[in-house]
Amino acid sequence: IVELRDVTKIYRPGANQIHALNMANISIDQGDFVTIMGSSGSGKSTLLNLIGCLDRPTHGTLRINGIDTSTLNDDGLTAIRRDNIGFIFQQFNLIPTLTAQENVEIPMIFARMPLAERHERSLELLTLADLEAEFADHKPNELSGGQQQRVAIARALANDPPILLADEPTGNLDSRTGQNIMKLLSELNTGGTTLIVVTHDKKITEYSNTTIRLQDGEVCDEYCE
Amino acid sequence: IVELRDVTKIYRPGANQIHALNMANISIDQGDFVTIMGSSGSGKSTLLNLIGCLDRPTHGTLRINGIDTSTLNDDGLTAIRRDNIGFIFQQFNLIPTLTAQENVEIPMIFARMPLAERHERSLELLTLADLEAEFADHKPNELSGGQQQRVAIARALANDPPILLADEPTGNLDSRTGQNIMKLLSELNTGGTTLIVVTHDKKITEYSNTTIRLQDGEVCDEYCE
Ligand SMILES: Nc1ncnc2c1ncn2[C@@H]1O[C@H](COP(=O)(O)OP(=O)(O)OP(=O)(O)O)[C@@H](O)[C@H]1O
Ligand SMILES: Nc1ncnc2c1ncn2[C@@H]1O[C@H](COP(=O)(O)OP(=O)(O)OP(=O)(O)O)[C@@H](O)[C@H]1O
Ligand SMILES: [Mg+2]
Ligand SMILES: [Mg+2]
């Protein structure tokens, strides 16, 4: 469902190039649960942003459901992302002027879901993401870090995407709330959602069936340190 | 050096009040290393923001170095914060238009440090916070999550503050980089800096000499769950 061939991402073309990802070859099947690990700065978010069609590779081919993303213009890229991918960002990226519930509804508005159904589903998803109902009307700056993270999780599930990308989904959560989130993600995977999770937390790799390690932009085989 | 007496913080006065902190009594001595733990939403950042003089209690008395902050106007609060406190924010709060190095220099500009000395010290602090020199000229959106966190750490140390507050300082770091940061903070504490660290990570409590637990806005004594 996701295939990378010789994918390279270079930031700052020119004098001080940064090879954030170098000749990555990765194949992910539908229904896989993949964890991506590596030190801070090793290229994890860069890899996830490419798979999430939020950015384009500098070189190489990336296919989602068999479609080569380099053949798509911006509208095509947005469409493939909206129809296939849910994204839980490392910094949440919630819209500051909207409440938690409104943030979760945004993807549903793009998918043209009727109002009443949107209202109901957004509250269900917030509950599923372990956020108490009383916080649904809070704006992001009226929520704790871990509460914002849970809103970001609920929002990523808005359109029940076939592929769910999570960048450090438990970074701001205490261990019990973190375990509830990992249980939720595991259940989604058991139900058929393809799951790709970036994490620093080794405990999370126990939930997954494959681990990809990055080191300085390179996908490690067994010879990495 | 920090004393809270019956400190309460209520958000949303009126119908849907939120008691984020309720009758907190805490005493921290100079040179202490205190960790604050508790579930997501339990009031940790609220407590740290009050100690950091970024916000005022709704009720109760908070003293920094013996000075009662409720006697201060906004300028007074800013002055006591600038002279005494370094703050590592949970969401980093870096200035997006400035480079990593410029972000670290900002507190030094307010302290009227000469240009050459500021330039040199900001680079030293970034190295101390385990960020490679090549990233000093990156803006926050050109840095990874954990790299931004290290810039936030270096910035908090700009004026060598007697009190250092850290809200989840290792949340976005891999375990090795996280350990380097905890070693740095421990060394600062051994050198006399009072350290107050909010964390979800039990391993960090091993570095500290006191742990405060929060549950739903209450400071726990031994009867908390
Ligand atoms: N400006 C605000 N307006 C309304 N409620 C707020 C505001 N800021 C925080 N809260 C609420 O106060 C409670 C405590 O928030 P706080 O940020 O202190 O929690 P925390 O312990 O730091 O959580 P986390 O571990 O998730 O960061 C939360 O329930 C939050 O929703
Ligand atoms: N827009 C950009 N311009 C320049 N360099 C960038 C940009 N975005 C990222 N980088 C660099 O690319 C490298 C990889 O960044 P990335 O965010 O993928 O790391 P990461 O593995 O997610 O790290 P972390 O665990 O700290 O979140 C970093 O060294 C970073 O400084
Ligand atoms: Mg990242
Ligand atoms: Mg917090």
Side-chain angles (χ1 to χ4, degrees), chain A residues 9-12 16 18-21 37-49 55 90-91 167-168 198-200 214 217, chain B residues 131-132 134-135 138-150 172-174:
Chain A
K9 180 70 190 174
I10 299 173
Y11 293 117
R12 300 198 156 186
N16 302 318
I18 297 208
H19 282 244
L21 202 62
M37 295 194 81
S39 317
S40 173
S42 59
K44 305 179 297 295
S45 297
T46 299
L47 172 57
L48 219 60
N49 291 343
D55 197 4
Q90 189 170 4
Q91 300 290 304
D167 201 341
E168 309 266 1
V198 165
T199 183
H200 285 308
L214 290 183
Chain B
L131 187 66
E132 298 80 354
E134 70 214 75
F135 298 112
H138 284 226
K139 293 199 176 133
N141 68 347
E142 297 175 319
L143 291 169
S144 79
Q147 289 170 339
Q148 292 179 45
Q149 186 149 46
R150 285 172 273 169
N172 279 274
L173 300 176
D174 55 284

Side-chain angles (χ1 to χ4, degrees), chain B residues 81-100:
Chain B
R81 188 171 73 237
R82 285 231 174 102
D83 296 341
N84 291 280
I85 296 169
F87 206 119
I88 303 167
F89 293 94
Q90 188 170 3
Q91 300 292 309
F92 318 141
N93 294 3
L94 297 177
I95 298 174
T97 49
L98 299 182
T99 67

